Amino acid sequence: MSVELSGWGRYPVAATDLLQPASAQAAAAMVAGRTGAIARGNGRAYGDAAIGEETTVSLLGLGRMRAFDPATGWLTVEAGVTLAEIVAAFLPRGFFPAVVPGTQFVTVGGMIAADVHGKNHHRDGGFGDHVAALDLMLPDGTRLSCSREQNAELFHATIGGMGLTGYILAATIRLIPVETGWIRQRTLVAETVADTVRLLDAAQDATYSVAWIDGLARGAALGRSLVYLGEHATRAALGGAQVPYRFGPAAKAGPGVPFDLPALTLNRLSVAAFNEAYFRLGAAKAGPERLVGWRPYFFPLDGVADWNRIYGRNGFVQYQFVLPAARSADLLPDLLDRIAQRGSASFLAVLKRLGRGGGLLSFPFEGHTLALDMKMEPGLLAFLAECDRLVAAAGGRLYLAKDARQTRSTFEAGYPGLARFRDIRRRYGLEGRLASRLSRRIGL
Amino acid sequence: MKTVLVVGGTSDVGRAVALAYATAGWCVQLAGRDGPGLEREAADIATRTGMAVTTHRIDILDTDAFPAFADTLPALPDTVVSVVGLLGEQARAETDPVHATTVMRSNFEGPALLLGLFAERFLARGHGTLVGVSSVAGERGRASNYVYGAAKAGFTAFLSGLRNRVAKRGLHVVTVKPGFIRTRMTAGMKLPARLTAEPQAVGDAIFRAAETRPRDVIYVKPVWALVMAIIRALPETIFKRTKL
Ligand SMILES: Cc1cc2nc3c(=O)[nH]c(=O)nc-3n(C[C@H](O)[C@H](O)[C@H](O)COP(=O)(O)OP(=O)(O)OC[C@H]3O[C@@H](n4cnc5c(N)ncnc54)[C@H](O)[C@@H]3O)c2cc1C
């Protein structure tokens, strides 16, 4: 069945055959003989990573859990199980995934393939660092058990490998014990970009840290931000109001990141007004610690269904890069200033501190990563190409799970593990058989 | 701890029913034909809920094996839910009696005899709940699926009669008419959104009707009651000219 598919940013849109196997056996039978095929999870990558060159294989039908060991926290599930299902089943039993991205509507396969990072990357690494084993299917139907001991090379290539090493059928991942579903959050106000970077760097011991930058502020206020630090709250830390809801209120919790807005039309004025209000509200809450429920803390946008539609029919791109820690202080102001000058309608930019990378093509390395949404409009691609040059020249790289437009040369400059990755693809006979729009565009 | 037996456990609805019960803290006996499929669903439900789930092989056409099947269960369940069914192909059933027989036996004979058998054991014990998933297709024979519909009509009548007999003796019998459900059985069909339920909604509705707010007959989407009332009310002279 041929369909039109896009990623979460709704740009680009491409035609592809779509296969929807209901089990691993069905998947093996369906992919046999296919070329230019790629796995797809829940389509939360922003660009074209999960659109096959010819064929896209949705693995949402592989949605069964297999086993859980409460003594160790290891959970084995099929790759199409979503983070939302895992949290729903295990948070009430006192466990939370070791690493989560900013939405719970992603699959385990998608989180491994992108080696997603959370607000704790500086301390705990990426999702891939908490995978013990995975069950990988090559395009000819062969199934391999991969771990740090077994088929180790393929294991490291698959983490962050964007589906280009095979179909992840199942994985064993780590959940950590938590006493409650609440986060003790502290808000710090940073007046400048230098302040922001300093506060994040000083918070290396915090479990979670993230900065929300006002992407429109200029001049002296360039890069002003609210830095949020978080720790899992213990049972003893809960106050009277939270005690009956030890694992967080069932519905959307009240305070936290105020994100109930996008009825606003997106123009420079409304966004600037929003950012202003956001900062005042946030700054007013700075200082003492507050308890925030897990939903608004980790997944602030999940409460707004289909928010990706607010950017209109042409969609949007998310621009996310990482810069080496030593280069951030001089390059971030320049990049932020260009973005603010252009006035691209982005609500807030997110800045995080990343730690060491995991897989061969994993995005994170020791440095600072900035992510912001930009509406697709004339001139945007040329503008971002200019930004790419600055990022690449500084030794930075762009995140493949967010990418919809970088060129092959930007990619090659940013990912030194590429030669080994290509070699592994060649040796396992994967070239040509596994290919996405992304891989074709960047020459993978 | 209470136990439910779900027959047809590898279907989308069977899985949803089992998950609804396990989420509410019940132990589950999952029964069906496809061994590896049963194991996969059982592990899923056990992992998600932390409840004990056992698997049991049964072929709904092998009615002679029913007593042995019931004897080998680790415990006589508190509730039995049968979601067994076979849509079949109407056109084929019109000329192929073997296929027609399979459709009739899968939707009527097998499920009815199985629930009948558990009814006797429940009566001996003094309590129990029996749930049969029938179909709106059983309310009036239509050109497009009357072999299936006739079998479901038989099943609906059987459940009604059984309820009439055992209600005064501590047993609860529930008839479920789900209407359209988004499942593998209907994958690729164009289904009207307002009349179509998700499997989990069917599972939750069955749990509610059987255990928390007892009902005798339920449609999962209430709008079906209205739709079927109209279809039933059409005089045969008019009905025979319609294309339904
Ligand atoms: C609101 C929002 C917030 C986000 N926040 C973050 C964040 O904080 N940190 C972060 O790192 N990312 C973040 N992301 C990105 C998201 O986590 C990744 O794009 C993730 O990969 C999406 O998972 P998915 O299941 O939707 O996969 P898809 O988008 O369907 O696929 C993504 C990639 O994974 C591959 N893939 C999927 N399943 C399999 C499989 N079973 N086997 C092999 N390959 C597979 C695909 O081929 C593709 O290359 C965010 C996305 C959104 C929409």
Side-chain angles (χ1 to χ4, degrees):
Chain A
M1 186 176 46
S2 181
V3 297
E4 301 263 296
L5 277 186
S6 70
W8 183 245
R10 302 169 82 212
Y11 170 87
V13 180
T16 165
D17 277 353
L18 180 63
L19 306 179
Q20 299 174 284
S23 66
Q25 288 81 340
M30 279 185 184
V31 303
R34 293 270 176 171
T35 54
I38 203 77
R40 184 177 176 93
N42 208 24
R44 252 52 180 190
Y46 279 70
D48 48 7
I51 309 174
E53 193 185 32
E54 297 162 35
T55 304
T56 308
V57 187
S58 168
L59 293 183
L60 284 177
L62 274 60
R64 304 296 186 269
M65 299 194 184
R66 286 191 187 162
F68 177 63
D69 180 355
T72 59
W74 289 114
L75 169 68
T76 304
V77 296
E78 293 179 359
V81 166
T82 65
L83 188 55
E85 293 175 275
I86 293 173
V87 174
F90 292 99
L91 184 53
R93 286 144 81 183
F95 289 92
F96 197 74
V99 167
V100 301
T103 172
Q104 47 168 347
F105 302 128
V106 290
T107 66
V108 167
M111 288 191 287
I112 294 171
D115 189 17
V116 301
H117 53 271
K119 298 179 172 90
N120 54 345
H121 193 275
H122 58 282
R123 243 185 64 152
D124 303 320
F127 193 86
D129 289 315
H130 305 275
V131 175
L134 44 89
D135 180 2
L136 190 71
M137 183 175 77
L138 301 182
D140 64 1
T142 314
R143 282 166 74 155
L144 297 174
S145 300
C146 303
S147 68
R148 285 174 179 80
E149 291 78 39
Q150 227 183 336
N151 295 306
E153 176 178 58
L154 211 46
F155 181 80
H156 290 292
T158 299
I159 289 170
M162 303 308 290
L164 294 163
T165 59
Y167 303 89
I168 302 164
L169 300 178
T172 299
I173 65 170
R174 193 204 314 276
L175 307 185
I176 54 164
V178 293
E179 286 186 26
T180 76
W182 295 85
I183 300 293
R184 290 188 288 123
Q185 177 181 282
R186 215 146 60 84
T187 307
L188 314 173
V189 183
E191 305 289 350
T192 65
V193 63
D195 264 5
T196 304
V197 169
R198 195 165 347 100
L199 285 174
L200 280 178
D201 287 356
Q204 296 276 11
D205 290 340
T207 302
Y208 300 108
S209 69
V210 63
W212 295 81
I213 294 190
D214 179 348
L216 294 178
R218 301 185 53 191
L222 183 73
R224 70 170 174 174
S225 75
L226 300 172
V227 177
Y228 293 111
L229 309 181
E231 302 294 335
H232 288 283
T234 58
R235 226 175 154 158
L238 298 190
Q242 290 92 25
V243 170
Y245 307 101
R246 194 173 138 207
F247 291 107
K252 205 170 64 163
V257 187
F259 248 115
D260 291 314
L261 44 114
L264 290 171
T265 51
L266 277 178
N267 56 48
R268 200 191 154 102
L269 255 175
S270 62
V271 175
F274 166 74
N275 283 12
E276 187 65 40
Y278 182 89
F279 268 86
R280 290 193 180 190
L281 270 170
K285 290 176 195 151
E289 220 171 68
R290 306 168 55 248
L291 285 173
V292 180
W294 60 274
R295 264 177 236 266
Y297 186 80
F298 291 109
F299 313 118
L301 286 165
D302 283 354
V304 188
D306 295 337
W307 62 262
N308 56 339
R309 292 177 182 273
I310 66 173
Y311 292 95
R313 301 183 58 114
N314 298 330
F316 67 108
V317 297
Q318 180 163 94
Y319 193 60
Q320 179 164 12
F321 58 82
V322 55
L323 295 172
R327 301 301 310 277
S328 313
D330 48 302
L331 212 69
L332 274 176
D334 184 12
L335 280 160
L336 277 168
D337 191 47
R338 284 167 189 260
I339 291 160
Q341 251 185 59
R342 189 165 185 279
S344 301
S346 182
F347 281 98
L348 293 164
V350 178
L351 188 73
K352 286 182 205 168
R353 174 76 207 206
L354 296 179
R356 261 188 317 118
L360 264 190
L361 282 197
S362 288
F363 168 68
F365 61 63
E366 288 272 1
H368 300 93
T369 178
L370 184 75
L372 67 176
D373 294 339
M374 293 187 185
K375 183 178 170 167
M376 181 45 81
E377 55 195 4
L380 180 68
L381 294 177
F383 171 74
L384 292 179
E386 188 58 37
C387 297
D388 286 358
R389 271 189 284 281
L390 297 171
V391 170
R397 61 168 65 148
L398 303 182
Y399 190 7
L400 297 178
K402 307 287 180 72
D403 183 41
R405 31 111 348 237
Q406 74 174 297
T407 60
R408 180 170 176 161
S409 60
T410 310
F411 169 64
E412 288 179 343
Y415 284 84
L418 179 58
R420 270 183 65 203
F421 190 80
R422 283 203 177 116
D423 178 54
I424 291 170
R425 293 243 303 155
R426 192 170 323 117
R427 279 189 285 115
Y428 281 92
L430 307 175
E431 288 173 318
R433 306 190 66 172
L434 292 175
S436 60
R437 298 280 165 157
L438 168 87
S439 76
R440 189 41 50 113
R441 177 163 52 77
I442 62 177
L444 250 177
Chain B
M1 219 173 283
K2 290 189 166 179
T3 302
V4 63
L5 165 67
V6 179
V7 188
T10 56
S11 68
D12 292 317
V13 176
R15 165 177 199 258
V17 170
L19 206 49
Y21 273 89
T23 303
W26 287 55
C27 296
V28 176
Q29 299 168 345
L30 208 58
R33 237 183 347 185
D34 164 14
L38 280 177
E39 294 302 333
R40 181 177 178 226
E41 302 301 349
D44 179 54
I45 295 162
T47 305
R48 281 175 199 262
T49 62
M51 296 307 299
V53 183
T54 54
T55 60
H56 310 277
R57 297 291 297 274
I58 185 174
D59 181 344
I60 208 68
L61 297 177
D62 189 4
T63 51
D64 289 346
F66 287 178
F69 164 80
D71 288 340
T72 56
L73 293 177
L76 184 62
D78 298 274
T79 294
V80 180
V81 183
S82 171
V83 305
V84 178
L86 174 69
L87 193 51
E89 292 164 51
Q90 170 64 26
R92 187 170 154 209
E94 285 158 15
T95 55
D96 175 354
V98 175
H99 183 60
T101 305
T102 306
V103 171
M104 293 181 195
R105 295 189 62 216
S106 304
N107 290 300
F108 174 41
E109 185 191 275
L113 290 179
L114 188 69
L115 289 185
L117 180 146
F118 277 101
E120 294 314 309
R121 298 191 178 200
F122 286 179
L123 283 172
R125 179 182 62 189
H127 73 88
T129 298
L130 298 153
V131 183
V133 175
S134 188
S135 172
V136 293
E139 297 198 20
R140 191 158 198 178
R142 296 181 294 130
S144 57
N145 70 352
Y146 63 84
V147 174
Y148 172 81
K152 288 295 194 184
F155 190 40
T156 300
F158 180 92
L159 293 170
S160 156
L162 181 66
R163 176 183 306 114
N164 190 217
R165 172 177 157 232
V166 301
K168 298 163 288 283
R169 300 170 59 191
L171 266 52
H172 178 203
V173 178
V174 185
T175 308
V176 183
K177 299 176 184 173
F180 301 132
I181 313 174
R182 206 173 308 286
T183 63
R184 270 169 281 159
M185 191 157 105
T186 58
M189 295 185 191
K190 273 211 152 54
L191 300 176
R194 290 200 47 217
L195 295 176
T196 306
E198 295 297 326
Q200 202 52 59
V202 181
D204 294 342
I206 288 175
F207 181 78
R208 237 177 297 125
E211 315 298 343
T212 58
R213 281 191 294 135
R215 294 277 186 285
D216 294 324
V217 181
I218 61 159
Y219 294 93
V220 173
K221 292 221 148 198
V223 40
W224 275 102
L226 179 67
V227 173
M228 294 321 295
I230 294 167
I231 290 179
R232 277 196 314 268
L234 283 179
E236 199 67 15
T237 45
I238 297 176
F239 190 72
K240 72 181 180 191
R241 289 177 224 277
T242 62
K243 261 173 79 183
L244 279 168

